[in-house]
Amino acid sequence: MANIVQFENVGLRYGTGAETLSDVSFTLSAGSFYFVTGASGAGKTSLLKLLYLAQRPTRGIVRLFGEDAGALPRNRLPGFRRRIGVVFQDFRLVPHLSAFDNIALPLRVAGMPESEIEGPVREMLAWVNLKDRGNAKPPTLSGGEQQRIAIARAVINRPEVLVADEPTGNVDPDMAERLLHLFDSLNRLGTTVVVATHDFQLINRIPDARMMRIERGRLSDPTGALRHPPGSPQGQAPA
Amino acid sequence: MSWLTSDNPEHRLLDESRSTRSMLWIMAIMLFLTTLAAALGLSMASASAALDRQLAGRLTIQLVEADAARRDAAARTIVQRVKALGQVSRVAEVDRTRLAELLQPWLGDAGLDAELPMPAMIDVDLTSGDPAAVAAVTRAAQAVAPAARVDRHAQWLSPVAVFLTTITLFAAALVLLMALATTAVVLLAARAGLDMHRDTIAVLHMLGSTDRQVARLFQRRIALDTFLGGALGTAVALGIVWLLGRQAGTLGSELLSGVALDRSDWSMLGAIPLIFALMAMISARAGVLRALGQTL
Ligand SMILES: Nc1ncnc2c1ncn2[C@@H]1O[C@H](COP(=O)(O)OP(=O)(O)OP(=O)(O)O)[C@@H](O)[C@H]1O
Ligand SMILES: [Mg+2]
């Protein structure tokens, strides 16, 4: 399978402090399902930010879709970002837009005609069980409801890569499973999925998935070899 | 005019309930002043053009000769010779009785005395202010009477012309200054808008919006504010200019009649809000693109 993401000795430093990420090297192949785990503050979100082009590495190379993302000129970033769906840890919904309009954003940004937007958005609202909340503004929704809107927005454009930062942090176990099932279906359709989570229950639900663990800014296996979830039939063996 | 209606979802992207209408009022004031300055400039320009038209080609030949008979003969000869020259549209000796009437306040009834040695005056209208034609007239007159003097009216009024030109330039400078100030206000407003909507813009960027898409959200709003506020300011200014023009008209002054704005002047003044809106749009766009270019 083609490598869709490649990190080579990546380091990330915010401002002038110590490195938040150091010597991170790994490769993700297209169409696979990955988990990123690690303690709070270990650097999961930072790693994902590099992946969805919200940060450039301070050293090393991040290769995305075969190109050096750190060297991309500004005018090519939007094209890359449209191929990546992101569920932000803090959702980042636009507060004055309705749930419907938030989910429709990626389609509108991509210039899709209004007539072709209504159908897919309604379908996504139904998928995340919020069919009747389309007109609600995010501040009037519960945390879990906002999270589901954020997920719907991330996947509506059928991204090649879906990056989800703790996407089940605010929902009950049933909904978590349901959302994971949504990710799994997308993955089966060809989307590469990267999910950051602490929830091993969840990780064990996707037996084919690989996981990487971050400890204080470094991969716990510095060779970048990715493991199957501990509960999967492949057990602890390197993939 | 679909961009005026707000059912376009793009127009809802920025939370406009948070932005104030102060931009509209600032633009109204700016364009009120700009229109007044432009009206001043245009009316002075047209007054000075009218003055040029009236005076540029107008000469008076003055013939001082003690002997009335010789004076009249010379005057007649000069009239004939000048008439024969090119670029001359009219030659006429100033009627003596009229001249006497003009002089009466100074000379009393003595002015009417035919024996009084009064100079002969010949008015010459040239088709243009061409110095060569003026020189030809001078030569023709002095060939007949070496003492003949040729006066150009433009010369007498040149301080007035200089004054009119100065005001015109001053008004043009004012308009330019107002345009610069408007651009500065627009850039400030664009910056403030970027700050106010920073979170939304960050999300839009993350979803793959281009800088141009983001700039479009701002340039539309700012152009609209400039146009609506500007239209108001310009309308009030034009009303004032019209009232002043009517008042000037009743004064019956020949100089002031040249001040009147013609149809093309009015339409140029009316176009000011549009021109400024366009300018605002372009500078807002440039400002936003520049500011965004400095982020990731
Ligand atoms: N914008 C930033 N500026 C400075 N430091 C930052 C910034 N973002 C993150 N950090 C620091 O980098 C480290 C890693 O943060 P990160 O958000 O990647 O952790 P995380 O693994 O996602 O944690 P959590 O599980 O709590 O979400 C933390 O120590 C954090 O304080
Ligand atoms: Mg995090």
Side-chain angles (χ1 to χ4, degrees):
Chain A
M1 258 184 288
N3 293 336
I4 200 163
V5 176
Q6 203 174 354
F7 277 48
E8 287 174 24
N9 282 313
V10 169
L12 174 67
R13 187 193 300 274
Y14 292 108
T16 54
E19 274 196 330
T20 296
L21 292 174
S22 301
D23 304 323
V24 176
S25 300
F26 63 86
T27 300
L28 306 183
S29 46
S32 300
F33 201 122
Y34 298 92
F35 286 107
V36 179
T37 66
S40 177
K44 299 183 295 297
T45 299
S46 301
L47 187 139
L48 297 188
K49 277 184 183 166
L50 290 169
L51 198 54
Y52 59 73
L53 298 173
Q55 289 285 344
R56 293 189 198 250
T58 36
R59 63 186 175 88
I61 295 176
V62 173
R63 230 181 271 286
L64 254 176
F65 308 117
E67 292 200 59
D68 181 353
L72 280 179
R74 187 177 168 75
N75 61 4
R76 292 195 59 203
L77 290 175
F80 271 66
R81 285 174 176 149
R82 288 179 195 183
R83 298 165 72 178
I84 307 169
V86 186
V87 183
F88 300 94
Q89 189 168 8
D90 51 359
F91 316 145
R92 304 259 200 121
L93 298 175
V94 180
H96 64 271
L97 292 184
S98 66
F100 182 101
D101 283 336
N102 265 286
I103 296 176
L105 265 185
L107 303 180
R108 289 184 173 140
V109 161
M112 189 176 278
E114 278 308 300
S115 56
E116 293 171 32
I117 284 177
E118 169 110 23
V121 174
R122 296 265 166 243
E123 196 178 320
M124 277 323 304
L125 276 167
W127 252 91
V128 295
N129 241 4
L130 290 170
K131 216 185 323 200
D132 304 324
R133 304 291 277 151
N135 289 325
K137 300 275 165 78
T140 69
L141 295 170
S142 77
E145 287 169 333
Q146 292 182 40
Q147 191 149 40
R148 276 133 71 193
I149 299 295
I151 291 169
R153 184 180 71 182
V155 303
I156 191 162
N157 220 4
R158 284 282 175 79
E160 290 168 58
V161 178
L162 173 68
V163 178
D165 200 347
E166 316 250 8
T168 57
N170 292 276
V171 297
D172 58 72
D174 278 355
M175 181 49 76
E177 192 162 338
R178 197 186 149 84
L179 292 174
L180 200 68
H181 185 71
L182 167 62
F183 292 164
D184 194 29
S185 322
L186 277 168
N187 178 241
R188 283 173 207 286
L189 290 170
T191 298
T192 309
V193 179
V194 182
V195 178
T197 182
H198 307 281
D199 187 348
F200 273 81
Q201 291 265 328
L202 215 60
I203 294 175
N204 284 324
R205 296 255 174 218
I206 310 276
D208 299 336
R210 323 282 171 83
M211 50 176 276
M212 63 179 98
R213 189 175 170 75
I214 306 181
E215 286 167 10
R216 271 177 270 127
R218 292 173 184 270
L219 289 187
S220 54
D221 184 342
T223 64
L226 305 178
R227 293 169 183 285
H228 287 287
S232 72
Q234 295 95 328
Q236 294 274 336
Chain B
M1 294 275 232
S2 64
W3 52 277
L4 271 177
T5 63
S6 207
D7 50 349
N8 184 338
E10 191 176 90
H11 302 167
R12 279 182 274 126
L13 277 184
L14 298 182
D15 183 6
E16 290 183 348
S17 68
R18 292 176 63 196
S19 50
T20 59
R21 308 268 68 184
S22 54
M23 180 74 181
L24 206 93
W25 293 110
I26 293 172
M27 286 305 169
I29 295 169
M30 299 289 261
L31 269 82
F32 170 73
L33 295 174
T34 305
T35 305
L36 284 185
L40 177 69
L42 286 175
S43 57
M44 287 306 131
S46 72
S48 117
L51 197 63
D52 271 359
R53 259 197 318 278
Q54 285 167 13
L55 299 180
R58 196 171 280 186
L59 311 172
T60 300
I61 301 171
Q62 236 187 93
L63 198 56
V64 184
E65 169 65 65
D67 183 292
R70 279 197 10 222
R71 178 196 64 199
D72 291 348
R76 268 193 300 278
T77 316
I78 290 174
V79 168
Q80 269 159 20
R81 293 207 182 164
V82 169
K83 224 173 227 166
L85 295 173
Q87 297 198 51
V88 173
S89 59
R90 193 185 71 95
V91 187
E93 196 179 342
V94 179
D95 183 34
R96 301 207 66 77
T97 46
R98 169 142 169 71
L99 203 57
E101 273 167 26
L102 285 173
L103 291 174
Q104 198 189 22
W106 286 276
L107 301 179
D109 286 341
L112 294 173
D113 183 354
E115 291 307 304
L116 193 76
M118 270 210 306
M121 309 275 265
I122 302 163
D123 276 344
V124 181
D125 281 354
L126 299 178
T127 49
S128 74
D130 183 6
V134 177
V137 171
T138 311
R139 268 197 311 277
Q142 289 176 346
V144 176
R149 245 182 62 196
V150 178
D151 284 315
R152 306 173 63 172
H153 293 203
Q155 225 160 18
W156 304 336
L157 278 164
S158 70
V160 176
V162 167
F163 177 68
L164 291 181
T165 309
T166 308
I167 297 188
T168 308
L169 290 178
F170 175 67
L174 277 184
V175 171
L176 204 71
L177 269 180
M178 296 307 293
L180 281 178
T182 306
T183 307
V185 168
V186 163
L187 288 178
L188 282 178
R191 288 269 169 170
L194 279 177
D195 268 351
M196 181 180 287
H197 303 292
R198 193 201 307 272
D199 294 342
T200 305
I201 292 168
V203 170
L204 289 175
H205 267 145
M206 280 302 135
L207 297 180
S209 275
T210 62
D211 291 347
R212 281 153 193 270
Q213 283 177 314
V214 174
R216 209 159 58 208
L217 304 178
F218 286 97
Q219 73 199 35
R220 172 190 154 272
R221 174 85 262 163
I222 286 175
L224 205 62
D225 279 357
T226 306
F227 181 74
L228 294 179
L232 182 71
T234 296
V236 174
L238 287 183
I240 290 176
V241 170
W242 183 76
L243 283 176
L244 285 177
R246 245 180 42 149
Q247 220 167 14
T250 59
L251 294 180
S253 154
E254 202 175 329
L255 186 59
L256 278 178
S257 73
V259 168
L261 296 171
D262 64 20
R263 187 189 293 253
S264 75
D265 292 334
W266 284 108
S267 41
M268 208 181 313
L269 292 176
I272 286 179
L274 260 178
I275 295 168
F276 271 61
L278 200 70
M279 211 171 66
M281 189 165 105
I282 292 168
S283 37
R285 179 183 175 80
V288 170
L289 287 180
R290 234 184 72 126
L292 292 179
Q294 288 157 3
T295 63
L296 178 67

Short mmCIF file of all heavy atoms in Angstrom, two decimals, chain A residues 12-15 18-21 36-49 55 89 165-166 196-198 214 217, ligand 1:
data_model
loop_
_atom_site.label_atom_id
_atom_site.label_comp_id
_atom_site.label_asym_id
_atom_site.label_seq_id
_atom_site.Cartn_x
_atom_site.Cartn_y
_atom_site.Cartn_z
N LEU A 12 9.24 19.18 16.97
CA LEU A 12 8.36 20.34 17.00
C LEU A 12 8.60 21.09 18.29
O LEU A 12 8.64 20.51 19.37
CB LEU A 12 6.88 19.93 16.91
CG LEU A 12 5.88 21.07 17.08
CD1 LEU A 12 5.96 22.06 15.92
CD2 LEU A 12 4.45 20.51 17.19
N ARG A 13 8.80 22.39 18.16
CA ARG A 13 9.07 23.23 19.31
C ARG A 13 8.11 24.40 19.24
O ARG A 13 7.97 25.02 18.19
CB ARG A 13 10.51 23.72 19.21
CG ARG A 13 11.04 24.47 20.39
CD ARG A 13 12.35 25.16 20.02
NE ARG A 13 13.40 24.25 19.58
CZ ARG A 13 14.23 23.62 20.41
NH1 ARG A 13 14.15 23.80 21.70
NH2 ARG A 13 15.16 22.83 19.93
N TYR A 14 7.38 24.67 20.30
CA TYR A 14 6.52 25.87 20.34
C TYR A 14 7.35 27.00 20.91
O TYR A 14 7.87 26.88 22.01
CB TYR A 14 5.30 25.67 21.24
CG TYR A 14 4.30 24.66 20.72
CD1 TYR A 14 4.15 23.42 21.33
CD2 TYR A 14 3.48 24.97 19.64
CE1 TYR A 14 3.22 22.50 20.89
CE2 TYR A 14 2.54 24.05 19.18
CZ TYR A 14 2.42 22.82 19.82
OH TYR A 14 1.49 21.94 19.37
N GLY A 15 7.50 28.05 20.18
CA GLY A 15 8.27 29.19 20.67
C GLY A 15 9.71 28.79 20.95
O GLY A 15 10.36 28.14 20.13
N ALA A 18 11.28 23.86 25.35
CA ALA A 18 11.85 22.56 24.98
C ALA A 18 11.02 21.97 23.85
O ALA A 18 9.90 22.40 23.60
CB ALA A 18 11.84 21.64 26.20
N GLU A 19 11.59 20.97 23.17
CA GLU A 19 10.85 20.34 22.08
C GLU A 19 9.65 19.59 22.61
O GLU A 19 9.75 18.83 23.58
CB GLU A 19 11.77 19.39 21.32
CG GLU A 19 12.56 20.09 20.24
CD GLU A 19 13.16 19.09 19.27
OE1 GLU A 19 13.46 17.96 19.69
OE2 GLU A 19 13.32 19.44 18.08
N THR A 20 8.49 19.79 22.01
CA THR A 20 7.28 19.07 22.39
C THR A 20 7.27 17.69 21.74
O THR A 20 6.81 16.71 22.32
CB THR A 20 6.05 19.88 21.95
OG1 THR A 20 6.03 21.11 22.65
CG2 THR A 20 4.77 19.12 22.24
N LEU A 21 7.81 17.64 20.53
CA LEU A 21 7.97 16.35 19.85
C LEU A 21 9.43 16.24 19.41
O LEU A 21 10.02 17.22 18.97
CB LEU A 21 7.07 16.26 18.61
CG LEU A 21 5.57 16.19 18.82
CD1 LEU A 21 4.86 16.25 17.48
CD2 LEU A 21 5.19 14.91 19.56
N VAL A 36 -3.48 6.86 17.96
CA VAL A 36 -2.35 7.50 18.64
C VAL A 36 -2.72 7.58 20.11
O VAL A 36 -3.77 8.13 20.44
CB VAL A 36 -2.09 8.91 18.08
CG1 VAL A 36 -0.94 9.57 18.83
CG2 VAL A 36 -1.80 8.86 16.58
N THR A 37 -1.92 7.00 20.97
CA THR A 37 -2.24 7.06 22.39
C THR A 37 -1.08 7.71 23.16
O THR A 37 -0.01 7.93 22.59
CB THR A 37 -2.47 5.65 22.99
OG1 THR A 37 -1.24 4.94 22.94
CG2 THR A 37 -3.52 4.90 22.21
N GLY A 38 -1.33 7.94 24.39
CA GLY A 38 -0.31 8.56 25.23
C GLY A 38 -0.99 9.37 26.31
O GLY A 38 -2.16 9.75 26.18
N ALA A 39 -0.22 9.64 27.35
CA ALA A 39 -0.78 10.38 28.48
C ALA A 39 -1.13 11.79 28.06
O ALA A 39 -0.69 12.28 27.02
CB ALA A 39 0.26 10.41 29.61
N SER A 40 -1.93 12.42 28.88
CA SER A 40 -2.28 13.83 28.62
C SER A 40 -1.01 14.66 28.62
O SER A 40 -0.16 14.52 29.49
CB SER A 40 -3.24 14.31 29.70
OG SER A 40 -3.52 15.67 29.48
N GLY A 41 -0.85 15.49 27.59
CA GLY A 41 0.33 16.34 27.51
C GLY A 41 1.51 15.66 26.84
O GLY A 41 2.57 16.25 26.71
N ALA A 42 1.33 14.42 26.40
CA ALA A 42 2.44 13.68 25.80
C ALA A 42 2.78 14.24 24.42
O ALA A 42 3.92 14.16 23.97
CB ALA A 42 2.09 12.20 25.69
N GLY A 43 1.80 14.81 23.74
CA GLY A 43 2.07 15.38 22.42
C GLY A 43 1.20 14.84 21.30
O GLY A 43 1.51 15.01 20.12
N LYS A 44 0.07 14.22 21.67
CA LYS A 44 -0.80 13.64 20.65
C LYS A 44 -1.35 14.72 19.72
O LYS A 44 -1.25 14.63 18.48
CB LYS A 44 -1.98 12.90 21.30
CG LYS A 44 -1.58 11.75 22.19
CD LYS A 44 -2.77 11.03 22.75
CE LYS A 44 -3.62 11.88 23.69
NZ LYS A 44 -2.89 12.29 24.93
N THR A 45 -1.94 15.76 20.34
CA THR A 45 -2.51 16.83 19.52
C THR A 45 -1.44 17.49 18.66
O THR A 45 -1.67 17.80 17.49
CB THR A 45 -3.21 17.87 20.42
OG1 THR A 45 -4.25 17.21 21.14
CG2 THR A 45 -3.79 19.00 19.61
N SER A 46 -0.26 17.66 19.24
CA SER A 46 0.83 18.29 18.48
C SER A 46 1.17 17.46 17.25
O SER A 46 1.38 18.01 16.16
CB SER A 46 2.05 18.44 19.37
OG SER A 46 1.72 19.22 20.50
N LEU A 47 1.21 16.16 17.43
CA LEU A 47 1.53 15.30 16.30
C LEU A 47 0.45 15.41 15.22
O LEU A 47 0.74 15.52 14.02
CB LEU A 47 1.66 13.85 16.78
CG LEU A 47 2.16 12.86 15.75
CD1 LEU A 47 3.14 11.89 16.39
CD2 LEU A 47 1.04 12.10 15.09
N LEU A 48 -0.81 15.42 15.66
CA LEU A 48 -1.90 15.51 14.69
C LEU A 48 -1.87 16.86 13.96
O LEU A 48 -2.18 16.94 12.78
CB LEU A 48 -3.25 15.31 15.38
CG LEU A 48 -3.48 13.93 16.01
CD1 LEU A 48 -4.94 13.81 16.47
CD2 LEU A 48 -3.15 12.80 15.05
N LYS A 49 -1.47 17.92 14.70
CA LYS A 49 -1.41 19.25 14.06
C LYS A 49 -0.42 19.26 12.90
O LYS A 49 -0.66 19.92 11.89
CB LYS A 49 -0.98 20.31 15.09
CG LYS A 49 -2.13 20.83 15.94
CD LYS A 49 -1.59 21.94 16.83
CE LYS A 49 -2.66 22.48 17.77
NZ LYS A 49 -2.03 23.30 18.84
N GLN A 55 0.56 23.09 11.86
CA GLN A 55 1.91 23.42 12.32
C GLN A 55 2.89 22.91 11.28
O GLN A 55 2.62 21.91 10.61
CB GLN A 55 2.22 22.72 13.65
CG GLN A 55 1.49 23.25 14.86
CD GLN A 55 2.06 24.58 15.33
OE1 GLN A 55 3.16 24.95 14.95
NE2 GLN A 55 1.31 25.30 16.14
N GLN A 89 -9.85 18.55 18.86
CA GLN A 89 -10.13 18.15 20.24
C GLN A 89 -11.14 19.12 20.87
O GLN A 89 -11.99 18.72 21.65
CB GLN A 89 -8.82 18.15 21.04
CG GLN A 89 -8.96 17.55 22.42
CD GLN A 89 -7.61 17.29 23.07
OE1 GLN A 89 -6.55 17.68 22.58
NE2 GLN A 89 -7.65 16.57 24.19
N ASP A 165 -9.12 13.96 16.91
CA ASP A 165 -8.42 14.14 18.18
C ASP A 165 -9.41 13.91 19.32
O ASP A 165 -10.27 14.75 19.57
CB ASP A 165 -7.85 15.56 18.23
CG ASP A 165 -6.72 15.69 19.24
OD1 ASP A 165 -6.57 14.77 20.06
OD2 ASP A 165 -6.02 16.72 19.19
N GLU A 166 -9.29 12.77 19.97
CA GLU A 166 -10.22 12.39 21.05
C GLU A 166 -11.67 12.56 20.64
O GLU A 166 -12.42 13.27 21.31
CB GLU A 166 -9.96 13.25 22.29
CG GLU A 166 -8.49 13.40 22.59
CD GLU A 166 -8.07 12.66 23.85
OE1 GLU A 166 -8.92 11.91 24.39
OE2 GLU A 166 -6.92 12.81 24.25
N ALA A 196 -6.69 9.93 17.78
CA ALA A 196 -5.97 10.04 19.06
C ALA A 196 -6.96 9.75 20.16
O ALA A 196 -8.06 10.29 20.17
CB ALA A 196 -5.40 11.44 19.23
N THR A 197 -6.59 8.87 21.06
CA THR A 197 -7.50 8.53 22.17
C THR A 197 -6.74 7.90 23.33
O THR A 197 -5.66 7.36 23.17
CB THR A 197 -8.61 7.57 21.69
OG1 THR A 197 -9.50 7.32 22.77
CG2 THR A 197 -8.03 6.25 21.21
N HIS A 198 -7.35 8.01 24.52
CA HIS A 198 -6.83 7.29 25.69
C HIS A 198 -7.57 5.97 25.87
O HIS A 198 -7.21 5.18 26.70
CB HIS A 198 -7.08 8.05 27.00
CG HIS A 198 -6.64 9.46 27.02
ND1 HIS A 198 -5.33 9.80 27.22
CD2 HIS A 198 -7.31 10.62 26.89
CE1 HIS A 198 -5.22 11.11 27.23
NE2 HIS A 198 -6.42 11.63 27.03
N ILE A 214 2.79 7.68 22.33
CA ILE A 214 3.74 8.78 22.54
C ILE A 214 4.00 8.93 24.03
O ILE A 214 3.07 8.91 24.83
CB ILE A 214 3.19 10.12 22.01
CG1 ILE A 214 2.78 9.96 20.55
CG2 ILE A 214 4.23 11.22 22.12
CD1 ILE A 214 2.25 11.23 19.96
N GLY A 217 6.64 13.19 24.18
CA GLY A 217 7.11 13.75 22.91
C GLY A 217 7.88 12.80 22.02
O GLY A 217 8.32 13.18 20.94
N1 LIG C 1 0.38 26.21 21.15
C1 LIG C 1 1.21 25.75 22.12
N2 LIG C 1 2.16 26.55 22.62
C2 LIG C 1 3.01 26.11 23.57
N3 LIG C 1 2.96 24.89 24.08
C3 LIG C 1 2.03 24.03 23.62
C4 LIG C 1 1.11 24.44 22.61
N4 LIG C 1 0.31 23.38 22.35
C5 LIG C 1 0.71 22.39 23.15
N5 LIG C 1 1.73 22.76 23.92
C6 LIG C 1 2.45 21.92 24.90
O1 LIG C 1 2.89 20.76 24.24
C7 LIG C 1 2.73 19.62 25.07
C8 LIG C 1 1.89 18.58 24.32
O2 LIG C 1 0.61 19.07 24.14
P1 LIG C 1 -0.48 18.28 23.33
O3 LIG C 1 -1.67 19.14 23.21
O4 LIG C 1 0.14 17.82 22.06
O5 LIG C 1 -0.76 17.07 24.28
P2 LIG C 1 -1.85 15.90 24.16
O6 LIG C 1 -1.10 14.64 24.14
O7 LIG C 1 -2.74 16.16 23.05
O8 LIG C 1 -2.62 16.05 25.54
P3 LIG C 1 -4.18 15.75 25.85
O9 LIG C 1 -4.32 14.28 25.95
O10 LIG C 1 -4.38 16.42 27.17
O11 LIG C 1 -4.96 16.38 24.75
C9 LIG C 1 2.05 20.10 26.34
O12 LIG C 1 3.04 20.20 27.33
C10 LIG C 1 1.54 21.45 26.00
O13 LIG C 1 1.60 22.32 27.10
#
